[in-house]
Coordinates of all heavy atoms in Angstrom, one line a residue:
A1 N -14.4 -38.0 -67.0 CA -15.3 -38.9 -66.3 C -15.5 -38.5 -64.9 O -14.7 -37.8 -64.3 CB -14.7 -40.4 -66.3
L2 N -16.7 -38.8 -64.4 CA -17.0 -38.6 -63.0 C -17.0 -40.0 -62.2 O -17.5 -40.9 -62.8 CB -18.5 -38.1 -62.8 CG -18.7 -36.7 -63.3 CD1 -20.2 -36.4 -63.2 CD2 -17.9 -35.7 -62.5
E3 N -16.4 -40.0 -61.1 CA -16.3 -41.2 -60.3 C -17.5 -41.1 -59.2 O -17.6 -40.1 -58.5 CB -15.0 -41.3 -59.5 CG -14.9 -42.5 -58.7 CD -13.6 -42.6 -58.0 OE1 -13.4 -41.9 -57.0 OE2 -12.7 -43.5 -58.4
L4 N -18.3 -42.1 -59.2 CA -19.4 -42.2 -58.2 C -19.0 -43.3 -57.2 O -18.7 -44.4 -57.6 CB -20.7 -42.6 -58.9 CG -21.1 -41.7 -60.1 CD1 -22.2 -42.3 -60.9 CD2 -21.4 -40.3 -59.7
T5 N -19.0 -42.9 -55.9 CA -18.6 -43.9 -54.9 C -19.8 -44.1 -53.9 O -20.3 -43.2 -53.3 CB -17.4 -43.4 -54.1 OG1 -16.3 -43.1 -55.0 CG2 -17.0 -44.3 -53.0
L6 N -20.3 -45.3 -54.0 CA -21.4 -45.8 -53.1 C -22.7 -45.1 -53.3 O -23.7 -45.8 -53.4 CB -21.0 -45.7 -51.6 CG -19.9 -46.6 -51.2 CD1 -19.5 -46.3 -49.7 CD2 -20.2 -48.1 -51.4
L7 N -22.8 -43.8 -53.4 CA -24.0 -43.1 -53.7 C -24.0 -42.5 -55.1 O -23.0 -42.3 -55.6 CB -24.2 -42.0 -52.7 CG -24.3 -42.4 -51.2 CD1 -24.4 -41.2 -50.3 CD2 -25.6 -43.3 -51.0
G8 N -25.2 -42.3 -55.6 CA -25.3 -41.8 -57.0 C -25.4 -40.3 -57.0 O -24.7 -39.6 -56.3
G9 N -26.3 -39.8 -57.8 CA -26.6 -38.4 -57.9 C -27.5 -38.2 -59.2 O -27.8 -39.2 -59.8
E10 N -27.7 -36.9 -59.5 CA -28.5 -36.6 -60.6 C -27.8 -35.6 -61.5 O -27.2 -34.7 -60.9 CB -29.9 -36.0 -60.3 CG -30.8 -37.0 -59.7 CD -32.2 -36.4 -59.5 OE1 -32.4 -35.2 -59.5 OE2 -33.1 -37.3 -59.3
F11 N -27.8 -35.8 -62.8 CA -27.1 -34.9 -63.7 C -28.0 -34.7 -64.9 O -28.6 -35.6 -65.4 CB -25.8 -35.6 -64.2 CG -24.9 -36.1 -63.0 CD1 -25.0 -37.4 -62.6 CD2 -24.0 -35.3 -62.4 CE1 -24.3 -37.9 -61.5 CE2 -23.3 -35.7 -61.3 CZ -23.4 -37.1 -60.9
R12 N -27.9 -33.4 -65.4 CA -28.8 -33.1 -66.6 C -27.8 -32.7 -67.7 O -26.9 -32.0 -67.5 CB -29.7 -31.9 -66.3 CG -30.6 -31.6 -67.4 CD -31.8 -30.7 -67.0 NE -32.6 -31.1 -65.9 CZ -33.6 -32.0 -65.9 NH1 -33.9 -32.6 -67.0 NH2 -34.3 -32.3 -64.8
A13 N -28.1 -33.3 -68.9 CA -27.3 -33.0 -70.1 C -27.6 -31.6 -70.6 O -28.8 -31.3 -70.9 CB -27.6 -34.1 -71.2
E14 N -26.6 -30.8 -70.7 CA -26.8 -29.4 -71.2 C -26.8 -29.4 -72.7 O -27.2 -28.3 -73.3 CB -25.7 -28.5 -70.6 CG -25.8 -28.3 -69.1 CD -24.8 -27.3 -68.6 OE1 -23.9 -26.9 -69.4 OE2 -24.9 -27.0 -67.4
R15 N -26.4 -30.5 -73.3 CA -26.4 -30.6 -74.8 C -26.5 -32.0 -75.2 O -26.3 -32.9 -74.3 CB -25.2 -29.9 -75.4 CG -23.9 -30.5 -75.0 CD -22.7 -29.8 -75.6 NE -21.5 -30.2 -74.9 CZ -20.8 -31.3 -75.1 NH1 -21.2 -32.2 -75.9 NH2 -19.7 -31.5 -74.5
D16 N -26.7 -32.3 -76.4 CA -26.6 -33.8 -76.8 C -25.2 -34.2 -76.6 O -24.3 -33.6 -76.9 CB -26.9 -33.9 -78.4 CG -28.4 -33.6 -78.7 OD1 -29.2 -33.4 -77.8 OD2 -28.7 -33.6 -79.9
V17 N -25.1 -35.4 -75.9 CA -23.8 -35.9 -75.6 C -23.8 -37.4 -75.5 O -24.8 -38.0 -75.1 CB -23.3 -35.2 -74.2 CG1 -24.2 -35.7 -73.1 CG2 -21.9 -35.6 -73.9
L18 N -22.6 -38.0 -75.8 CA -22.4 -39.4 -75.7 C -21.8 -39.7 -74.4 O -20.8 -39.1 -74.0 CB -21.6 -39.9 -76.8 CG -21.5 -41.4 -77.1 CD1 -22.8 -41.9 -77.6 CD2 -20.4 -41.6 -78.2
V19 N -22.4 -40.7 -73.6 CA -21.9 -41.1 -72.3 C -21.8 -42.6 -72.2 O -22.4 -43.3 -73.0 CB -22.8 -40.5 -71.2 CG1 -22.9 -39.0 -71.2 CG2 -24.1 -41.2 -71.1
A20 N -21.0 -43.0 -71.3 CA -20.9 -44.5 -71.0 C -20.7 -44.6 -69.4 O -20.0 -43.8 -68.8 CB -19.9 -45.2 -71.8
V21 N -21.3 -45.7 -68.9 CA -21.1 -46.0 -67.5 C -20.4 -47.3 -67.3 O -20.8 -48.3 -68.0 CB -22.4 -46.0 -66.7 CG1 -22.2 -46.3 -65.3 CG2 -23.2 -44.7 -66.9
A22 N -19.4 -47.4 -66.5 CA -18.6 -48.6 -66.2 C -18.3 -48.7 -64.8 O -18.4 -47.7 -64.0 CB -17.3 -48.6 -67.1
G23 N -18.0 -49.9 -64.3 CA -17.6 -50.1 -62.9 C -18.7 -50.8 -62.1 O -19.3 -51.7 -62.7
A24 N -18.9 -50.4 -60.9 CA -19.9 -51.0 -60.0 C -21.3 -50.9 -60.6 O -21.5 -50.0 -61.4 CB -19.8 -50.3 -58.7
E25 N -22.1 -51.8 -60.2 CA -23.5 -51.8 -60.6 C -24.3 -50.8 -59.8 O -24.4 -51.0 -58.6 CB -24.1 -53.2 -60.5 CG -25.5 -53.3 -61.1 CD -26.1 -54.6 -60.8 OE1 -25.4 -55.6 -60.5 OE2 -27.4 -54.7 -61.0
F26 N -24.8 -49.8 -60.5 CA -25.7 -48.8 -59.8 C -27.0 -48.9 -60.5 O -27.1 -49.4 -61.6 CB -25.1 -47.4 -60.0 CG -24.1 -46.9 -59.1 CD1 -22.8 -47.5 -59.1 CD2 -24.3 -45.9 -58.1 CE1 -21.8 -47.1 -58.2 CE2 -23.4 -45.5 -57.3 CZ -22.1 -46.1 -57.3
D27 N -28.1 -48.4 -59.9 CA -29.4 -48.3 -60.5 C -29.3 -47.0 -61.3 O -29.7 -45.9 -60.8 CB -30.5 -48.3 -59.5 CG -31.8 -48.2 -60.1 OD1 -32.0 -48.5 -61.3 OD2 -32.8 -47.8 -59.4
A28 N -28.8 -47.1 -62.5 CA -28.6 -45.9 -63.3 C -29.8 -45.8 -64.3 O -30.1 -46.8 -65.0 CB -27.3 -46.0 -64.1
R29 N -30.4 -44.6 -64.4 CA -31.5 -44.4 -65.3 C -31.5 -43.0 -66.0 O -30.9 -42.1 -65.5 CB -32.8 -44.4 -64.5 CG -33.0 -45.8 -63.8 CD -34.3 -45.9 -63.0 NE -34.4 -47.2 -62.5 CZ -35.0 -48.2 -63.1 NH1 -35.5 -48.1 -64.3 NH2 -35.0 -49.4 -62.6
V30 N -32.1 -43.0 -67.2 CA -32.2 -41.8 -68.0 C -33.7 -41.6 -68.1 O -34.4 -42.4 -68.7 CB -31.6 -41.9 -69.4 CG1 -31.9 -40.7 -70.2 CG2 -30.1 -42.2 -69.3
E31 N -34.2 -40.5 -67.5 CA -35.6 -40.2 -67.6 C -36.5 -41.4 -67.1 O -37.5 -41.6 -67.7 CB -36.0 -39.7 -69.0 CG -35.3 -38.4 -69.4 CD -35.7 -37.2 -68.6 OE1 -36.8 -37.1 -68.0 OE2 -34.9 -36.3 -68.6
G32 N -36.0 -42.1 -66.1 CA -36.7 -43.2 -65.6 C -36.4 -44.6 -66.3 O -36.7 -45.6 -65.7
D33 N -35.8 -44.6 -67.5 CA -35.5 -45.8 -68.2 C -34.1 -46.3 -67.8 O -33.2 -45.4 -67.6 CB -35.5 -45.6 -69.7 CG -37.0 -45.3 -70.2 OD1 -37.9 -45.9 -69.6 OD2 -37.1 -44.6 -71.2
R34 N -33.9 -47.6 -67.7 CA -32.6 -48.2 -67.3 C -31.5 -47.7 -68.3 O -31.7 -47.8 -69.5 CB -32.7 -49.7 -67.3 CG -31.6 -50.4 -66.6 CD -31.9 -50.7 -65.2 NE -31.0 -51.6 -64.7 CZ -30.3 -51.5 -63.7 NH1 -30.4 -50.4 -63.0 NH2 -29.4 -52.3 -63.3
L35 N -30.4 -47.3 -67.7 CA -29.2 -46.9 -68.5 C -28.3 -48.1 -68.6 O -27.8 -48.6 -67.6 CB -28.5 -45.7 -67.8 CG -27.2 -45.2 -68.5 CD1 -27.5 -44.6 -69.9 CD2 -26.5 -44.2 -67.6
P36 N -28.0 -48.6 -69.8 CA -27.2 -49.8 -69.9 C -25.7 -49.5 -69.5 O -25.2 -48.4 -69.7 CB -27.2 -50.2 -71.4 CG -27.7 -48.9 -72.1 CD -28.5 -48.1 -71.1
M37 N -25.0 -50.5 -68.9 CA -23.7 -50.3 -68.5 C -22.7 -50.8 -69.6 O -23.1 -51.7 -70.4 CB -23.4 -51.3 -67.2 CG -24.2 -50.9 -66.0 SD -23.6 -49.5 -65.1 CE -22.1 -50.2 -64.5
G38 N -21.6 -50.2 -69.6 CA -20.5 -50.6 -70.5 C -20.7 -50.4 -72.0 O -20.0 -51.0 -72.8
R39 N -21.6 -49.5 -72.3 CA -21.7 -49.2 -73.8 C -22.1 -47.7 -73.9 O -22.7 -47.2 -73.0 CB -22.7 -50.1 -74.5 CG -24.1 -49.9 -74.1 CD -25.0 -50.9 -74.8 NE -26.4 -50.6 -74.8 CZ -27.0 -49.8 -75.7 NH1 -26.4 -49.4 -76.8 NH2 -28.3 -49.5 -75.6
P40 N -21.8 -47.1 -75.1 CA -22.1 -45.7 -75.3 C -23.6 -45.5 -75.4 O -24.3 -46.3 -76.0 CB -21.4 -45.3 -76.5 CG -21.1 -46.6 -77.2 CD -21.0 -47.7 -76.2
V41 N -24.1 -44.4 -74.9 CA -25.5 -44.0 -75.0 C -25.6 -42.6 -75.3 O -24.9 -41.7 -74.7 CB -26.3 -44.3 -73.6 CG1 -27.7 -43.8 -73.7 CG2 -26.2 -45.7 -73.3
L42 N -26.4 -42.2 -76.3 CA -26.6 -40.8 -76.6 C -27.7 -40.2 -75.7 O -28.8 -40.7 -75.7 CB -27.0 -40.6 -78.1 CG -27.2 -39.2 -78.6 CD1 -26.0 -38.4 -78.5 CD2 -27.8 -39.2 -80.0
L43 N -27.3 -39.1 -75.0 CA -28.2 -38.4 -74.2 C -28.6 -37.2 -75.0 O -27.8 -36.5 -75.5 CB -27.7 -38.0 -72.9 CG -27.2 -39.0 -71.9 CD1 -26.6 -38.4 -70.7 CD2 -28.3 -40.0 -71.6
R44 N -29.9 -36.9 -75.0 CA -30.4 -35.7 -75.7 C -30.4 -34.5 -74.7 O -30.4 -34.7 -73.5 CB -31.9 -35.8 -76.2 CG -32.0 -36.9 -77.3 CD -31.2 -36.4 -78.5 NE -31.4 -37.4 -79.6 CZ -30.7 -37.3 -80.7 NH1 -29.8 -36.3 -80.9 NH2 -30.8 -38.2 -81.6
R45 N -30.2 -33.3 -75.2 CA -30.2 -32.1 -74.4 C -31.4 -32.1 -73.4 O -32.5 -32.4 -73.8 CB -30.2 -30.9 -75.3 CG -30.2 -29.6 -74.5 CD -30.2 -28.4 -75.5 NE -30.1 -27.2 -74.7 CZ -30.8 -26.1 -75.0 NH1 -31.6 -26.1 -76.0 NH2 -30.6 -25.1 -74.2
G46 N -31.1 -31.8 -72.1 CA -32.1 -31.8 -71.1 C -32.4 -33.1 -70.5 O -33.1 -33.1 -69.4
A47 N -31.8 -34.2 -70.9 CA -32.1 -35.6 -70.3 C -31.5 -35.6 -68.9 O -30.4 -35.1 -68.6 CB -31.5 -36.6 -71.2
L48 N -32.3 -36.2 -68.0 CA -31.9 -36.3 -66.6 C -31.4 -37.7 -66.4 O -32.1 -38.7 -66.6 CB -33.1 -36.0 -65.6 CG -32.7 -36.2 -64.2 CD1 -31.8 -35.1 -63.8 CD2 -34.0 -36.1 -63.3
V49 N -30.1 -37.8 -65.9 CA -29.5 -39.1 -65.6 C -29.4 -39.2 -64.1 O -29.0 -38.3 -63.4 CB -28.1 -39.2 -66.2 CG1 -27.4 -40.5 -65.8 CG2 -28.1 -38.9 -67.7
S50 N -30.0 -40.3 -63.5 CA -30.0 -40.4 -62.1 C -29.3 -41.8 -61.7 O -29.5 -42.8 -62.4 CB -31.4 -40.3 -61.5 OG -32.2 -41.3 -62.1
F51 N -28.6 -41.8 -60.6 CA -28.0 -43.0 -60.1 C -28.4 -43.1 -58.6 O -28.3 -42.3 -57.8 CB -26.4 -42.8 -60.1 CG -25.8 -42.7 -61.4 CD1 -25.8 -41.5 -62.1 CD2 -25.3 -43.8 -62.0 CE1 -25.2 -41.4 -63.4 CE2 -24.7 -43.8 -63.3 CZ -24.7 -42.6 -64.0
G52 N -29.0 -44.3 -58.4 CA -29.3 -44.7 -57.0 C -28.0 -45.2 -56.3 O -26.9 -45.1 -56.9
P53 N -28.1 -45.7 -55.1 CA -26.9 -46.3 -54.4 C -26.4 -47.5 -55.2 O -27.1 -48.1 -56.0 CB -27.4 -46.6 -53.1 CG -28.9 -46.8 -53.2 CD -29.3 -45.9 -54.4
A54 N -25.1 -47.8 -54.9 CA -24.5 -49.0 -55.5 C -25.2 -50.2 -55.1 O -25.5 -50.4 -54.0 CB -23.0 -49.0 -55.1
L55 N -25.5 -51.1 -56.1 CA -26.1 -52.4 -55.8 C -25.1 -53.5 -55.6 O -25.3 -54.4 -54.9 CB -27.0 -52.7 -57.0 CG -28.1 -51.7 -57.4 CD1 -28.8 -52.1 -58.7 CD2 -29.1 -51.6 -56.2
R56 N -24.0 -53.3 -56.4 CA -22.9 -54.4 -56.3 C -21.6 -53.6 -56.6 O -21.5 -53.0 -57.7 CB -23.1 -55.5 -57.3 CG -22.2 -56.6 -57.1 CD -22.5 -57.8 -57.9 NE -23.4 -57.6 -59.0 CZ -24.5 -58.3 -59.3 NH1 -24.8 -59.4 -58.6 NH2 -25.3 -58.0 -60.3
G57 N -20.6 -53.7 -55.7 CA -19.4 -52.9 -55.9 C -19.5 -51.6 -55.2 O -20.5 -51.3 -54.5
C58 N -18.5 -50.7 -55.4 CA -18.6 -49.4 -54.8 C -18.3 -48.2 -55.7 O -18.7 -47.1 -55.3 CB -17.8 -49.3 -53.5 SG -16.0 -49.4 -53.8
R59 N -17.7 -48.4 -56.8 CA -17.3 -47.2 -57.6 C -17.7 -47.5 -59.1 O -17.4 -48.5 -59.7 CB -15.8 -46.9 -57.6 CG -15.4 -46.4 -56.3 CD -13.9 -45.9 -56.3 NE -13.5 -45.4 -55.0 CZ -13.2 -46.1 -54.0 NH1 -13.2 -47.4 -54.1 NH2 -12.9 -45.6 -52.8
A60 N -18.4 -46.5 -59.6 CA -18.8 -46.5 -61.1 C -18.2 -45.2 -61.7 O -17.9 -44.2 -61.0 CB -20.3 -46.6 -61.3
Y61 N -18.1 -45.2 -63.0 CA -17.6 -44.0 -63.7 C -18.5 -43.6 -64.8 O -18.9 -44.5 -65.6 CB -16.2 -44.4 -64.3 CG -15.3 -44.8 -63.1 CD1 -15.2 -46.1 -62.7 CD2 -14.5 -43.9 -62.4 CE1 -14.3 -46.5 -61.7 CE2 -13.7 -44.2 -61.3 CZ -13.6 -45.6 -61.0 OH -12.9 -45.9 -59.9
L62 N -18.9 -42.4 -64.8 CA -19.7 -41.8 -65.9 C -18.8 -41.0 -66.8 O -18.3 -40.0 -66.5 CB -20.7 -40.9 -65.3 CG -21.6 -40.1 -66.3 CD1 -22.4 -41.1 -67.2 CD2 -22.5 -39.1 -65.6
A63 N -18.5 -41.6 -68.0 CA -17.6 -41.0 -69.0 C -18.4 -40.2 -70.0 O -19.5 -40.6 -70.4 CB -16.8 -42.1 -69.7
V64 N -17.9 -39.0 -70.3 CA -18.6 -38.1 -71.1 C -17.7 -37.7 -72.3 O -16.6 -37.3 -72.1 CB -19.0 -36.8 -70.4 CG1 -19.7 -35.8 -71.3 CG2 -19.8 -37.1 -69.1
A65 N -18.2 -38.0 -73.5 CA -17.4 -37.7 -74.7 C -17.1 -36.3 -74.8 O -17.9 -35.4 -74.6 CB -18.2 -38.2 -76.0
G66 N -15.8 -35.9 -75.0 CA -15.4 -34.5 -75.1 C -15.0 -34.0 -73.7 O -14.5 -32.9 -73.6
G67 N -15.2 -34.8 -72.6 CA -14.8 -34.3 -71.3 C -15.8 -33.5 -70.6 O -16.9 -33.2 -71.1
I68 N -15.5 -33.0 -69.4 CA -16.3 -32.2 -68.6 C -15.6 -30.9 -68.4 O -14.4 -30.9 -67.9 CB -16.6 -32.9 -67.3 CG1 -17.4 -34.2 -67.5 CG2 -17.5 -32.0 -66.3 CD1 -17.5 -35.1 -66.3
D69 N -16.2 -29.8 -68.7 CA -15.6 -28.5 -68.6 C -15.5 -28.0 -67.2 O -16.5 -27.5 -66.7 CB -16.3 -27.5 -69.5 CG -15.5 -26.2 -69.6 OD1 -14.3 -26.1 -69.3 OD2 -16.2 -25.2 -70.0
V70 N -14.4 -28.2 -66.5 CA -14.1 -27.7 -65.2 C -12.8 -26.9 -65.2 O -11.9 -27.3 -66.0 CB -14.1 -28.8 -64.1 CG1 -15.5 -29.4 -64.0 CG2 -13.1 -29.8 -64.4
P71 N -12.6 -25.9 -64.4 CA -11.3 -25.2 -64.4 C -10.2 -26.0 -63.7 O -10.5 -26.8 -62.8 CB -11.6 -24.0 -63.5 CG -12.8 -24.3 -62.7 CD -13.6 -25.3 -63.5
P72 N -9.0 -25.9 -64.3 CA -7.9 -26.7 -63.7 C -7.5 -26.1 -62.3 O -7.7 -25.0 -62.1 CB -6.7 -26.4 -64.7 CG -7.2 -25.5 -65.8 CD -8.6 -25.1 -65.5
A73 N -7.1 -27.1 -61.5 CA -6.6 -26.7 -60.1 C -5.4 -27.5 -59.9 O -5.4 -28.7 -60.0 CB -7.7 -27.0 -59.1
L74 N -4.3 -26.9 -59.5 CA -3.0 -27.5 -59.3 C -2.6 -28.4 -60.5 O -2.0 -29.5 -60.3 CB -3.1 -28.4 -58.0 CG -3.5 -27.6 -56.7 CD1 -3.6 -28.5 -55.5 CD2 -2.4 -26.6 -56.4
G75 N -2.8 -27.9 -61.7 CA -2.4 -28.6 -62.9 C -3.2 -29.7 -63.3 O -2.8 -30.6 -64.1
S76 N -4.4 -29.9 -62.7 CA -5.3 -31.1 -63.0 C -6.7 -30.6 -63.1 O -7.1 -29.5 -62.5 CB -5.1 -32.1 -61.8 OG -6.1 -33.1 -62.0
R77 N -7.5 -31.4 -63.7 CA -9.0 -31.1 -63.8 C -9.7 -32.0 -62.8 O -10.9 -32.0 -62.8 CB -9.5 -31.2 -65.2 CG -8.9 -30.1 -66.1 CD -9.7 -30.0 -67.4 NE -9.0 -29.0 -68.3 CZ -9.4 -27.8 -68.4 NH1 -10.3 -27.3 -67.6 NH2 -8.8 -27.0 -69.2
G78 N -9.0 -32.8 -62.1 CA -9.7 -33.6 -61.0 C -10.2 -32.7 -60.0 O -9.5 -31.8 -59.5
T79 N -11.3 -33.1 -59.4 CA -12.0 -32.2 -58.5 C -12.5 -33.0 -57.3 O -13.0 -34.1 -57.5 CB -13.2 -31.4 -59.1 OG1 -12.7 -30.7 -60.2 CG2 -13.8 -30.5 -58.1
D80 N -12.3 -32.5 -56.1 CA -12.9 -33.1 -54.9 C -13.7 -31.9 -54.2 O -13.1 -31.0 -53.7 CB -11.8 -33.6 -53.9 CG -12.4 -34.3 -52.7 OD1 -13.6 -34.0 -52.4 OD2 -11.6 -34.9 -52.0
A81 N -15.0 -32.0 -54.3 CA -15.8 -30.9 -53.8 C -15.7 -30.6 -52.4 O -16.1 -29.6 -51.9 CB -17.3 -31.2 -54.2
R82 N -15.1 -31.5 -51.6 CA -15.0 -31.2 -50.2 C -14.0 -30.1 -50.0 O -13.8 -29.4 -49.1 CB -14.5 -32.5 -49.4 CG -15.5 -33.5 -49.3 CD -15.1 -34.7 -48.6 NE -14.1 -35.4 -49.4 CZ -13.2 -36.3 -49.0 NH1 -13.3 -36.8 -47.8 NH2 -12.4 -36.9 -49.9

């Protein structure tokens, strides 16, 4: 899962994938259409998912079925880009 804090971002699906968003209310959209919260959604390859700033709360989580392929660091796959 990716944790989004206060600000969103844009992500493109590299393959067909099942995702779900939970937590704070963000303006989440797939190709401009509202992305429902708290339930699985199938994204087609190439779909653009965008998150505006948090509308209510501060943290949301974008869960991706099968995980996100990132290299382990210090025994974990958690990443802080700073």
Side-chain angles (χ1 to χ4, degrees):
L2 291 176
E3 181 180 72
L4 306 169
T5 303
L6 296 175
L7 296 175
E10 290 186 343
F11 309 94
R12 187 165 305 278
E14 292 184 352
R15 59 181 167 79
D16 291 356
V17 64
L18 194 63
V19 301
V21 179
E25 182 184 347
F26 277 69
D27 182 19
R29 298 185 177 269
V30 177
E31 299 295 334
D33 295 327
R34 192 96 162 123
L35 179 65
M37 298 282 291
R39 69 181 196 93
V41 175
L42 179 63
L43 297 181
R44 295 293 180 191
R45 180 177 183 221
L48 181 66
V49 180
S50 59
F51 293 85
L55 303 172
R56 189 173 15 227
C58 67
R59 287 186 182 82
Y61 302 89
L62 173 62
V64 179
I68 300 169
D69 187 19
V70 295
L74 301 174
S76 171
R77 292 192 186 269
T79 303
D80 183 344
R82 291 181 289 168

